[in-house]
């Protein structure tokens, strides 16, 4: 019964997914399902995702 009441363990993010710098607790930005160290890293990740999506759509059109 005690096992059912326990909260699931959430793994804390240690590094920014864009720049790989260690993140401090006071400075974290949660956007689109990930934690970033600042807004610039979020925008950089968003731009690379947009670029990757554009190249994938071009590959599909070529095929």
């Amino acid at each position: 019964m005690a096992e059912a009441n326990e909260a699931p363990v959430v793994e804390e993010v240690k590094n920014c997914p864009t720049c790989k710098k260690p993140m401090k607790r006071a400075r974290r930005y949660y956007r689109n399902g990930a934690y970033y160290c600042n807004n610039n890293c979020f925008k950089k990740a968003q731009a690379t995702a947009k670029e990757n999506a554009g190249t994938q759509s071009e590959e599909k059109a070529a095929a």
Side-chain angles (χ1 to χ4, degrees), residues 3-61:
E3 293 175 10
N5 293 336
E6 291 180 17
V9 177
V10 177
E11 187 175 321
E12 188 175 333
V13 178
K14 302 289 184 188
N15 295 329
C16 176
T18 305
C19 64
K20 308 298 187 224
K21 287 192 299 188
M23 291 193 292
K24 298 179 181 174
R25 183 178 171 92
R27 295 186 179 194
R28 281 191 292 183
Y29 295 90
Y30 182 76
R31 304 283 191 274
N32 294 341
Y35 287 98
Y36 299 94
C37 61
N38 57 28
N39 198 23
N40 291 335
C41 285
F42 166 68
K43 288 183 179 184
K44 188 183 293 185
Q46 196 174 25
T48 56
K50 191 177 211 181
E51 182 179 304
N52 289 340
T55 57
Q56 288 177 356
S57 64
E58 289 175 1
E59 290 174 0
K60 287 181 181 179

